[in-house]
Amino acid sequence: MEKRIEKSFDAIIVGSGQGGTPLAKEFARRGFRTALIEREHVGGTCVNVGCTPTKTFLASARAAHLVRRSGDYGIETGPVRVEMETVRRRKRDIVASFNGGAVSGLEETENLELIYGEATFTAARDLQISLKSGGERLLQGEKIFIDTGGRPAIPPIPGLETVPYLDSTSIMELDQVPRHLAVLGAGYIGIEFAQGLRRFGAEVTIIDRGERILKREDPDVTDELEKILTED
């Protein structure tokens, strides 16, 4: 039996990231019947697993670094102890605050319906939504925009799947400082976490197939950054 369209919209946006959320609001404010479909967390990569939690995580690492260096400024302190569970809780609380504000803003926007679920095309303008709360909805959109964001890419390294490893999301969920961290890749994300974990107290080894770190940056910049990392 063919399923019938439950509801039609002028615009449907799939994904509530940095592009999808303001786009949905703008359509709604202009009077278009708009639906925003989100599979997991409103705010997308930046708010939930990217910019916001990363900078919060690294701010704690910088605080540990400054305390250890306080003697250089004439301030004497005792031994530094890092409580990763507290670091993680602070990171989660800030993300939840940002996420909650984004959700409230969407729910208060007229002509906009926020739907939690995973979307699948069943026709050119038809979407079947597997709802996060259970069940399904079949929607139709005059215009459909896909803003599904990204996720960490796992490199095809033989044997990697047989060992526990971290990516840019799971590394921020650690409940203790690792004794030794190996970072595969010297791009800006790898360097951020390498320095952060070193400042928390881990030994860190950076492995990269290039001739220098941050190969897309000018050599004079990366040379200075290597000096800073060496000091750490």
mmCIF file with all atom_site columns, all heavy atoms in Angstrom, residues 92-108:
data_model
loop_
_atom_site.group_PDB
_atom_site.id
_atom_site.type_symbol
_atom_site.label_atom_id
_atom_site.label_alt_id
_atom_site.label_comp_id
_atom_site.label_asym_id
_atom_site.label_entity_id
_atom_site.label_seq_id
_atom_site.pdbx_PDB_ins_code
_atom_site.Cartn_x
_atom_site.Cartn_y
_atom_site.Cartn_z
_atom_site.occupancy
_atom_site.B_iso_or_equiv
_atom_site.pdbx_formal_charge
_atom_site.auth_seq_id
_atom_site.auth_comp_id
_atom_site.auth_asym_id
_atom_site.auth_atom_id
_atom_site.pdbx_PDB_model_num
ATOM 1   N N   . ARG A 1 92  ? 31.045 19.541 28.415 1.00 0.00 ? 92  ARG A N   1
ATOM 2   C CA  . ARG A 1 92  ? 29.674 19.107 28.133 1.00 0.00 ? 92  ARG A CA  1
ATOM 3   C C   . ARG A 1 92  ? 28.657 20.172 28.534 1.00 0.00 ? 92  ARG A C   1
ATOM 4   O O   . ARG A 1 92  ? 27.670 20.404 27.821 1.00 0.00 ? 92  ARG A O   1
ATOM 5   C CB  . ARG A 1 92  ? 29.374 17.800 28.870 1.00 0.00 ? 92  ARG A CB  1
ATOM 6   C CG  . ARG A 1 92  ? 30.090 16.579 28.293 1.00 0.00 ? 92  ARG A CG  1
ATOM 7   C CD  . ARG A 1 92  ? 29.778 15.348 29.129 1.00 0.00 ? 92  ARG A CD  1
ATOM 8   N NE  . ARG A 1 92  ? 30.348 14.138 28.554 1.00 0.00 ? 92  ARG A NE  1
ATOM 9   C CZ  . ARG A 1 92  ? 30.271 12.935 29.135 1.00 0.00 ? 92  ARG A CZ  1
ATOM 10  N NH1 . ARG A 1 92  ? 29.645 12.812 30.307 1.00 0.00 ? 92  ARG A NH1 1
ATOM 11  N NH2 . ARG A 1 92  ? 30.809 11.875 28.566 1.00 0.00 ? 92  ARG A NH2 1
ATOM 12  N N   . ASP A 1 93  ? 28.887 20.831 29.675 1.00 0.00 ? 93  ASP A N   1
ATOM 13  C CA  . ASP A 1 93  ? 27.948 21.849 30.157 1.00 0.00 ? 93  ASP A CA  1
ATOM 14  C C   . ASP A 1 93  ? 27.891 23.037 29.193 1.00 0.00 ? 93  ASP A C   1
ATOM 15  O O   . ASP A 1 93  ? 26.812 23.573 28.919 1.00 0.00 ? 93  ASP A O   1
ATOM 16  C CB  . ASP A 1 93  ? 28.361 22.333 31.553 1.00 0.00 ? 93  ASP A CB  1
ATOM 17  C CG  . ASP A 1 93  ? 28.109 21.295 32.631 1.00 0.00 ? 93  ASP A CG  1
ATOM 18  O OD1 . ASP A 1 93  ? 27.383 20.318 32.360 1.00 0.00 ? 93  ASP A OD1 1
ATOM 19  O OD2 . ASP A 1 93  ? 28.649 21.458 33.744 1.00 0.00 ? 93  ASP A OD2 1
ATOM 20  N N   . ILE A 1 94  ? 29.043 23.451 28.694 1.00 0.00 ? 94  ILE A N   1
ATOM 21  C CA  . ILE A 1 94  ? 29.067 24.582 27.767 1.00 0.00 ? 94  ILE A CA  1
ATOM 22  C C   . ILE A 1 94  ? 28.391 24.206 26.449 1.00 0.00 ? 94  ILE A C   1
ATOM 23  O O   . ILE A 1 94  ? 27.626 24.987 25.879 1.00 0.00 ? 94  ILE A O   1
ATOM 24  C CB  . ILE A 1 94  ? 30.515 25.055 27.542 1.00 0.00 ? 94  ILE A CB  1
ATOM 25  C CG1 . ILE A 1 94  ? 31.033 25.721 28.825 1.00 0.00 ? 94  ILE A CG1 1
ATOM 26  C CG2 . ILE A 1 94  ? 30.605 26.016 26.367 1.00 0.00 ? 94  ILE A CG2 1
ATOM 27  C CD1 . ILE A 1 94  ? 32.482 26.141 28.772 1.00 0.00 ? 94  ILE A CD1 1
ATOM 28  N N   . VAL A 1 95  ? 28.654 22.996 25.959 1.00 0.00 ? 95  VAL A N   1
ATOM 29  C CA  . VAL A 1 95  ? 27.994 22.535 24.731 1.00 0.00 ? 95  VAL A CA  1
ATOM 30  C C   . VAL A 1 95  ? 26.483 22.492 24.931 1.00 0.00 ? 95  VAL A C   1
ATOM 31  O O   . VAL A 1 95  ? 25.719 22.932 24.059 1.00 0.00 ? 95  VAL A O   1
ATOM 32  C CB  . VAL A 1 95  ? 28.527 21.153 24.312 1.00 0.00 ? 95  VAL A CB  1
ATOM 33  C CG1 . VAL A 1 95  ? 27.652 20.541 23.218 1.00 0.00 ? 95  VAL A CG1 1
ATOM 34  C CG2 . VAL A 1 95  ? 29.963 21.259 23.830 1.00 0.00 ? 95  VAL A CG2 1
ATOM 35  N N   . ALA A 1 96  ? 26.050 21.975 26.070 1.00 0.00 ? 96  ALA A N   1
ATOM 36  C CA  . ALA A 1 96  ? 24.612 21.880 26.351 1.00 0.00 ? 96  ALA A CA  1
ATOM 37  C C   . ALA A 1 96  ? 23.969 23.261 26.390 1.00 0.00 ? 96  ALA A C   1
ATOM 38  O O   . ALA A 1 96  ? 22.836 23.446 25.926 1.00 0.00 ? 96  ALA A O   1
ATOM 39  C CB  . ALA A 1 96  ? 24.383 21.149 27.671 1.00 0.00 ? 96  ALA A CB  1
ATOM 40  N N   . SER A 1 97  ? 24.694 24.238 26.934 1.00 0.00 ? 97  SER A N   1
ATOM 41  C CA  . SER A 1 97  ? 24.179 25.600 26.990 1.00 0.00 ? 97  SER A CA  1
ATOM 42  C C   . SER A 1 97  ? 23.999 26.180 25.591 1.00 0.00 ? 97  SER A C   1
ATOM 43  O O   . SER A 1 97  ? 22.953 26.759 25.264 1.00 0.00 ? 97  SER A O   1
ATOM 44  C CB  . SER A 1 97  ? 25.132 26.478 27.804 1.00 0.00 ? 97  SER A CB  1
ATOM 45  O OG  . SER A 1 97  ? 24.732 27.832 27.771 1.00 0.00 ? 97  SER A OG  1
ATOM 46  N N   . PHE A 1 98  ? 25.011 26.022 24.742 1.00 0.00 ? 98  PHE A N   1
ATOM 47  C CA  . PHE A 1 98  ? 24.934 26.502 23.365 1.00 0.00 ? 98  PHE A CA  1
ATOM 48  C C   . PHE A 1 98  ? 23.816 25.781 22.611 1.00 0.00 ? 98  PHE A C   1
ATOM 49  O O   . PHE A 1 98  ? 23.037 26.397 21.881 1.00 0.00 ? 98  PHE A O   1
ATOM 50  C CB  . PHE A 1 98  ? 26.265 26.291 22.651 1.00 0.00 ? 98  PHE A CB  1
ATOM 51  C CG  . PHE A 1 98  ? 27.277 27.372 22.896 1.00 0.00 ? 98  PHE A CG  1
ATOM 52  C CD1 . PHE A 1 98  ? 27.647 27.721 24.183 1.00 0.00 ? 98  PHE A CD1 1
ATOM 53  C CD2 . PHE A 1 98  ? 27.864 28.035 21.840 1.00 0.00 ? 98  PHE A CD2 1
ATOM 54  C CE1 . PHE A 1 98  ? 28.583 28.714 24.415 1.00 0.00 ? 98  PHE A CE1 1
ATOM 55  C CE2 . PHE A 1 98  ? 28.802 29.041 22.048 1.00 0.00 ? 98  PHE A CE2 1
ATOM 56  C CZ  . PHE A 1 98  ? 29.161 29.379 23.347 1.00 0.00 ? 98  PHE A CZ  1
ATOM 57  N N   . ASN A 1 99  ? 23.761 24.464 22.793 1.00 0.00 ? 99  ASN A N   1
ATOM 58  C CA  . ASN A 1 99  ? 22.764 23.653 22.105 1.00 0.00 ? 99  ASN A CA  1
ATOM 59  C C   . ASN A 1 99  ? 21.352 24.036 22.526 1.00 0.00 ? 99  ASN A C   1
ATOM 60  O O   . ASN A 1 99  ? 20.456 24.188 21.696 1.00 0.00 ? 99  ASN A O   1
ATOM 61  C CB  . ASN A 1 99  ? 23.031 22.174 22.392 1.00 0.00 ? 99  ASN A CB  1
ATOM 62  C CG  . ASN A 1 99  ? 22.038 21.253 21.709 1.00 0.00 ? 99  ASN A CG  1
ATOM 63  O OD1 . ASN A 1 99  ? 21.025 20.909 22.291 1.00 0.00 ? 99  ASN A OD1 1
ATOM 64  N ND2 . ASN A 1 99  ? 22.333 20.846 20.490 1.00 0.00 ? 99  ASN A ND2 1
ATOM 65  N N   . GLY A 1 100 ? 21.169 24.225 23.824 1.00 0.00 ? 100 GLY A N   1
ATOM 66  C CA  . GLY A 1 100 ? 19.856 24.592 24.344 1.00 0.00 ? 100 GLY A CA  1
ATOM 67  C C   . GLY A 1 100 ? 19.381 25.929 23.811 1.00 0.00 ? 100 GLY A C   1
ATOM 68  O O   . GLY A 1 100 ? 18.204 26.103 23.468 1.00 0.00 ? 100 GLY A O   1
ATOM 69  N N   . GLY A 1 101 ? 20.309 26.891 23.710 1.00 0.00 ? 101 GLY A N   1
ATOM 70  C CA  . GLY A 1 101 ? 19.947 28.191 23.161 1.00 0.00 ? 101 GLY A CA  1
ATOM 71  C C   . GLY A 1 101 ? 19.539 28.101 21.703 1.00 0.00 ? 101 GLY A C   1
ATOM 72  O O   . GLY A 1 101 ? 18.591 28.771 21.267 1.00 0.00 ? 101 GLY A O   1
ATOM 73  N N   . ALA A 1 102 ? 20.240 27.264 20.953 1.00 0.00 ? 102 ALA A N   1
ATOM 74  C CA  . ALA A 1 102 ? 19.918 27.090 19.533 1.00 0.00 ? 102 ALA A CA  1
ATOM 75  C C   . ALA A 1 102 ? 18.549 26.445 19.365 1.00 0.00 ? 102 ALA A C   1
ATOM 76  O O   . ALA A 1 102 ? 17.760 26.846 18.498 1.00 0.00 ? 102 ALA A O   1
ATOM 77  C CB  . ALA A 1 102 ? 20.992 26.248 18.854 1.00 0.00 ? 102 ALA A CB  1
ATOM 78  N N   . VAL A 1 103 ? 18.247 25.447 20.195 1.00 0.00 ? 103 VAL A N   1
ATOM 79  C CA  . VAL A 1 103 ? 16.948 24.769 20.115 1.00 0.00 ? 103 VAL A CA  1
ATOM 80  C C   . VAL A 1 103 ? 15.817 25.740 20.441 1.00 0.00 ? 103 VAL A C   1
ATOM 81  O O   . VAL A 1 103 ? 14.800 25.804 19.735 1.00 0.00 ? 103 VAL A O   1
ATOM 82  C CB  . VAL A 1 103 ? 16.907 23.561 21.067 1.00 0.00 ? 103 VAL A CB  1
ATOM 83  C CG1 . VAL A 1 103 ? 15.489 22.996 21.156 1.00 0.00 ? 103 VAL A CG1 1
ATOM 84  C CG2 . VAL A 1 103 ? 17.869 22.475 20.606 1.00 0.00 ? 103 VAL A CG2 1
ATOM 85  N N   . SER A 1 104 ? 15.993 26.530 21.508 1.00 0.00 ? 104 SER A N   1
ATOM 86  C CA  . SER A 1 104 ? 14.956 27.495 21.898 1.00 0.00 ? 104 SER A CA  1
ATOM 87  C C   . SER A 1 104 ? 14.678 28.493 20.782 1.00 0.00 ? 104 SER A C   1
ATOM 88  O O   . SER A 1 104 ? 13.525 28.817 20.485 1.00 0.00 ? 104 SER A O   1
ATOM 89  C CB  . SER A 1 104 ? 15.389 28.242 23.167 1.00 0.00 ? 104 SER A CB  1
ATOM 90  O OG  . SER A 1 104 ? 15.513 27.366 24.258 1.00 0.00 ? 104 SER A OG  1
ATOM 91  N N   . GLY A 1 105 ? 15.763 28.961 20.142 1.00 0.00 ? 105 GLY A N   1
ATOM 92  C CA  . GLY A 1 105 ? 15.593 29.915 19.051 1.00 0.00 ? 105 GLY A CA  1
ATOM 93  C C   . GLY A 1 105 ? 14.802 29.346 17.891 1.00 0.00 ? 105 GLY A C   1
ATOM 94  O O   . GLY A 1 105 ? 13.980 30.042 17.280 1.00 0.00 ? 105 GLY A O   1
ATOM 95  N N   . LEU A 1 106 ? 15.019 28.072 17.596 1.00 0.00 ? 106 LEU A N   1
ATOM 96  C CA  . LEU A 1 106 ? 14.284 27.432 16.502 1.00 0.00 ? 106 LEU A CA  1
ATOM 97  C C   . LEU A 1 106 ? 12.826 27.203 16.878 1.00 0.00 ? 106 LEU A C   1
ATOM 98  O O   . LEU A 1 106 ? 11.919 27.455 16.075 1.00 0.00 ? 106 LEU A O   1
ATOM 99  C CB  . LEU A 1 106 ? 14.942 26.095 16.144 1.00 0.00 ? 106 LEU A CB  1
ATOM 100 C CG  . LEU A 1 106 ? 16.291 26.173 15.447 1.00 0.00 ? 106 LEU A CG  1
ATOM 101 C CD1 . LEU A 1 106 ? 16.960 24.814 15.421 1.00 0.00 ? 106 LEU A CD1 1
ATOM 102 C CD2 . LEU A 1 106 ? 16.131 26.718 14.019 1.00 0.00 ? 106 LEU A CD2 1
ATOM 103 N N   . GLU A 1 107 ? 12.599 26.732 18.084 1.00 0.00 ? 107 GLU A N   1
ATOM 104 C CA  . GLU A 1 107 ? 11.232 26.417 18.508 1.00 0.00 ? 107 GLU A CA  1
ATOM 105 C C   . GLU A 1 107 ? 10.367 27.673 18.621 1.00 0.00 ? 107 GLU A C   1
ATOM 106 O O   . GLU A 1 107 ? 9.136  27.594 18.519 1.00 0.00 ? 107 GLU A O   1
ATOM 107 C CB  . GLU A 1 107 ? 11.266 25.671 19.840 1.00 0.00 ? 107 GLU A CB  1
ATOM 108 C CG  . GLU A 1 107 ? 11.858 24.266 19.727 1.00 0.00 ? 107 GLU A CG  1
ATOM 109 C CD  . GLU A 1 107 ? 11.950 23.542 21.046 1.00 0.00 ? 107 GLU A CD  1
ATOM 110 O OE1 . GLU A 1 107 ? 11.921 24.213 22.099 1.00 0.00 ? 107 GLU A OE1 1
ATOM 111 O OE2 . GLU A 1 107 ? 12.049 22.300 21.028 1.00 0.00 ? 107 GLU A OE2 1
ATOM 112 N N   . GLU A 1 108 ? 10.992 28.820 18.819 1.00 0.00 ? 108 GLU A N   1
ATOM 113 C CA  . GLU A 1 108 ? 10.247 30.074 18.952 1.00 0.00 ? 108 GLU A CA  1
ATOM 114 C C   . GLU A 1 108 ? 10.017 30.766 17.612 1.00 0.00 ? 108 GLU A C   1
ATOM 115 O O   . GLU A 1 108 ? 9.373  31.810 17.559 1.00 0.00 ? 108 GLU A O   1
ATOM 116 C CB  . GLU A 1 108 ? 10.998 31.015 19.900 1.00 0.00 ? 108 GLU A CB  1
ATOM 117 C CG  . GLU A 1 108 ? 11.046 30.505 21.337 1.00 0.00 ? 108 GLU A CG  1
ATOM 118 C CD  . GLU A 1 108 ? 12.017 31.294 22.199 1.00 0.00 ? 108 GLU A CD  1
ATOM 119 O OE1 . GLU A 1 108 ? 12.620 32.264 21.685 1.00 0.00 ? 108 GLU A OE1 1
ATOM 120 O OE2 . GLU A 1 108 ? 12.168 30.944 23.388 1.00 0.00 ? 108 GLU A OE2 1
#
